[in-house]
Amino acid sequence: MSKPTQTAVNRRSFLTTGAAGAVAAGAGVTEVAAQGTITWDQTADVVIVGAGVAGLPAAITARDLGASVIVVDGNYDIGGRGMLSGGRVQLGGGHALQQKFNIKDTADQVFMDWVRHDDGESRYSDRDLVRVFADENVSTYQFLLDNGVEFIEKPIGPVDASTLPRIFVTKEWHIPAEVVAPHRARNGSGLVRRLTESARKKGATILLKHRMTRIIREQPMAGRVLGIEVKTPDRTINIRATKGVIVATGGHTGNVNFRRMFDPRLTEEYQQACEPYVSQDAGGELAAMDIGASLWATAIQTTETGAAITKTRHIGCRWGYSSLVYETDSVMFPQAKATGLTVKDWQDVIMVNQFGKRFWDENDDSHNFFNAAMAYSGDKSKLNGGGPIWAIFDVDGAAREKWNTKPPNVDPDGWFYSADTLSELAGKIKSQYQKQPMPGTALADTVTRYNTFVAEGVDKDFKKKTPMFKIEKPPFYAAWATPILHDALTGLRTTTDAQVVDTRGQVIAGLYCAGESQGGFAQHGLARCLVFGRVAGRHAAKNSA
Amino acid sequence: MTEAVTAAEPARHAASLAVWDIPAATTAGEHFAVKVGAKSSGGCGLGGCRVDVLDSAGAVLASGQLGAEPWPGTDALFWSEIELCAPSAPGLMPLAVRFSADGLVEPHDSGASPFHVAVVAAPDHVLTVTVAAAGSPVADAIVRAGPIRATTDETGRARLHLAKGRHEIAVWKTGYDAPITPLTVEADATLRVEAKVLPEHDPDAISTRTRSGRRELRVVGAGPNRSQAMTDDALPDRLCNNPNSPHYNEQVLSRDVGIRFNGKEKTNVEEYCISEGWIRVAAGKALDRYGNPLTIKLTGAVEPYFRDKTEG
Ligand SMILES: Cc1cc2nc3c(=O)[nH]c(=O)nc-3n(C[C@H](O)[C@H](O)[C@H](O)COP(=O)(O)OP(=O)(O)OC[C@H]3O[C@@H](n4cnc5c(N)ncnc54)[C@H](O)[C@@H]3O)c2cc1C
């Protein structure tokens, strides 16, 4: 079978034809009574949820092996977070481009690096998964080249747990209007657009605005996975997967309830780095867990080494993640509403919590800073989470940073305020996350105290290195600067073939997972998603269901 | 426009205040000026109103009348410049401004807003500081000794006018890192400060684990490419070798840190603090109930150094 087919089958007849494999007929029949009849609107060998960094290589790999492929994506366009990424791909093992720069790498070295005990980013990983990752690095790099992905020939590194330069950056997509966040080196756009081109050319069907809402298994907690339920803009359909369903939905950090399983501090005020283009809403994890799937290596989410949470670099807008700015000509600008003010030097601002109090050294960008920002703020109505964090500065600070404090640089609708005096500024701050007004005297007192630290050159409260500038000259500004969430570092448990495993340690036949929704390997970003996307696509295509 | 009110009280406006253009440092006994502005929460014009500057005992030192035009860039901040005289003793002088609503139709609530002025002793000497990085002069760097500051010129030079005594010279410029140099000024002198150009940070690189994102300083393993990794020779002001302490620093402690205390070599130091001038040393082999060594605090001059540096 090579092309998806439109079929409508009665679930009972489907089960009784024996296509369900090893499931006992009795159990299947009972289950039919419990779940009713399923009408399949479409069928393919391999059905992939998510046309992002893991889903696209899964689709191509499965097609290369002759399987028919349907990819569904809830978004209006492909790429997921990969579209917004910097395109820094950390693959090694001694691939062609590494060789060109005389970087002597091996699969074993990749493995040894990413299981290092002395690095928090590698320590907690499932070494069986890391071994597969290491062994698939060179072939994955070649796979990218074979499918049209272009790289800038400049090695970067070593970074993270790596001991050798392994990062090469993909070339940005050449049509700015299709980059989503143009003019900002979103080189990952080239990666996902090229892979999409190739996937389509090879005959994969990509259905946009198709959101998976349920994974259909023979029985709620037993038997094979049969397909998925999908919401389209106008209806709900069922897509049957004869060989496998691959969850490549990109992680969970946008789902407040889900992320708080790992860290109860992560309440609703923390925004998400990839919004508003895509949200990491844990849809894949939840659908899989509903049919029995397990999470894996959950410690990784909270090791305080990776980028689960990051400092806001563009302040005064809702989404100010380090590398992501939606300029006014971005298709996302109408939702993002502001580009933000990019902080060059944290000496130019102080940061205060919702009560107008400083909480840490503004220069620090370690997890010590995040821990202080998320500390109990004194809000008796909300004990978890640290509440909003605001950057406070004066007109001189804005001048030093060369900021224009007007829209479209800032969003005055909840994320940026200005006033003639500090106490007036405190009173003006209104945010859906600021549960009570900031006390004006508290903010003024904080600034007065900080100004004495500037005069003396010593921060007696938080040891900011030689506090440089007083905040005294009107007008005064408050800009949203609450830390912003980034990576999902844990997810569904899988085998080394990317087959999802249930809470009893049993493989869920016909269900796969790759990308940030997969648990077990702490590496940041693209490389692990690409590798395990291929692994999942390959195994699913070969699956003799 | 109006403040929140309770049913029993009549609506009252409030005036809030700002004080700016306070000199970074003022020489004892000299005159200086500050700007004082007031804003009405009710949007009232405050031109003509009086503002007073008070000392820490609440006595009025000087007064001014707010002008008719708001300060440029503000909605309605009416302001005045007020001249003051610095006291003869150096230090941080606490002052406050107070708004007087006399003569306004609408009554205005207003507390006193505190501010400080740094008063320094009259200078005796000139310290010429030259800032360079990678062999080139660094212009537009701020050089400071406490509140006294100057900016480097194209040749990387700045002149600080300082009184005799101990000073700490700090240098700051965005994109650079420079050590703080403690010194005692007894005559005109020169100081050369070697700054480091901070590597440009790729905003897509993940760097939340060390301070200021300088990941390449991380020391790990004995991998072939890591042996050169540690290039930073700065020792922190405070360091503790208990991993549970906030002053624990794995990166620094991965190298051998030696301590000279009051000029003598100490080998049993568990924690030190340079600025506060103390060390904690292990008291024999005794452990507390958490298994940490019991320590004794000794005060004196603390000089930490990297052993590998002095030996190599
Ligand atoms: C600003 C930014 C910069 C980055 N820079 C880098 C970098 O330089 N290097 C690096 O290695 N990594 C980088 N990353 C991280 C990298 O982009 C991600 O790790 C990677 O894209 C994750 O791949 P994925 O396939 O798991 O998810 P994604 O690429 O996000 O794809 C998931 C897809 O699934 C879809 N989806 C989700 N739920 C459903 C559902 N229920 N039904 C249907 N479809 C669904 C989404 O719409 C999305 O298209 C960056 C991320 C961001 C946000």
Side-chain angles (χ1 to χ4, degrees), chain A residues 150-201:
Chain A
E150 296 174 302
F151 285 90
I152 297 166
E153 300 206 345
K154 183 181 162 227
I156 299 173
V159 301
D160 309 332
S162 284
T163 55
L164 288 167
R166 293 195 177 112
I167 288 191
F168 287 91
V169 183
T170 57
K171 288 190 182 159
E172 192 174 35
W173 185 244
H174 54 285
I175 305 165
E178 295 173 6
V179 170
V180 178
H183 327 299
R184 287 288 178 157
R186 293 307 82 206
N187 290 34
S189 58
L191 172 70
V192 291
R193 291 262 182 239
R194 289 283 175 221
L195 292 179
T196 302
E197 255 180 2
S198 177
R200 287 201 169 117
K201 208 178 289 169

Side-chain angles (χ1 to χ4, degrees), chain A residues 49-55 72-75 77-90 186 192 210-213 248-251 273-274 278-281 283-284 321 323-324 486-487 514-517 524-527 529, chain B residues 204:
Chain A
V49 190
V53 174
V72 297
D73 199 299
N75 207 3
D77 199 351
I78 57 94
R81 295 208 304 151
M83 178 70 85
L84 308 173
S85 78
R88 294 161 50 101
V89 180
Q90 184 154 206
R186 293 307 82 206
V192 291
H210 277 55
R211 177 159 297 280
M212 179 276 294
T213 44
T249 45
C274 49
V278 268
S279 69
Q280 288 187 288
D281 69 357
Y321 174 70
S323 64
L324 188 53
H486 189 29
D487 283 346
E516 285 200 32
S517 292
H524 161 74
L526 304 168
C529 303
Chain B
D204 282 304

Side-chain angles (χ1 to χ4, degrees), chain A residues 88 116 118-119 121 160 162-163 186 306 322-323 345 361 365-366 420-421 423-424 454-455 457 465 467-468 472, chain B residues 16 21 39 74-76 116 144 147 149 172 174 177-178 202-204 208-211 218 220-221 225-226:
Chain A
R88 294 161 50 101
R116 279 161 54 161
D118 61 349
D119 190 301
E121 223 170 320
D160 309 332
S162 284
T163 55
R186 293 307 82 206
S322 176
S323 64
D345 196 323
D361 169 6
D365 58 9
S366 74
D420 292 356
T421 65
S423 60
E424 186 189 36
V454 173
K465 194 177 173 190
M468 287 304 298
E472 61 174 33
Chain B
S16 57
D21 283 354
K39 171 79 185 275
T74 67
D75 287 341
H116 293 82
R144 59 187 288 185
R149 33 175 99 194
W172 172 88
T174 302
D177 191 27
D202 183 333
D204 282 304
T208 51
R209 99 180 63 171
T210 48
R211 289 180 77 96
R218 203 159 52 99
V220 276
N225 299 284
R226 291 300 177 111

Side-chain angles (χ1 to χ4, degrees), chain B residues 61-110:
Chain B
L61 297 178
S63 300
Q65 203 180 33
L66 300 180
E69 290 297 319
W71 176 251
T74 67
D75 287 341
L77 186 75
F78 294 88
W79 65 283
S80 169
E81 188 163 60
I82 298 179
E83 195 160 300
L84 295 157
C85 184
S88 52
L92 214 50
M93 170 168 64
L95 298 166
V97 284
R98 187 177 62 192
F99 172 79
S100 165
D102 299 352
L104 278 181
V105 183
E106 286 282 346
H108 276 68
D109 291 331
S110 174

Side-chain angles (χ1 to χ4, degrees), chain B residues 249-282:
Chain B
N249 185 330
E250 197 172 270
Q251 191 181 310
V252 170
L253 288 165
S254 68
R255 297 172 63 184
D256 205 0
V257 178
I259 308 284
R260 268 186 294 269
F261 181 68
N262 289 334
K264 281 203 202 78
E265 189 68 28
K266 287 273 176 193
T267 53
N268 56 348
V269 178
E270 297 290 323
E271 184 171 5
Y272 72 74
C273 179
I274 307 171
S275 60
E276 290 165 16
W278 53 260
I279 58 174
R280 277 185 190 283
V281 296

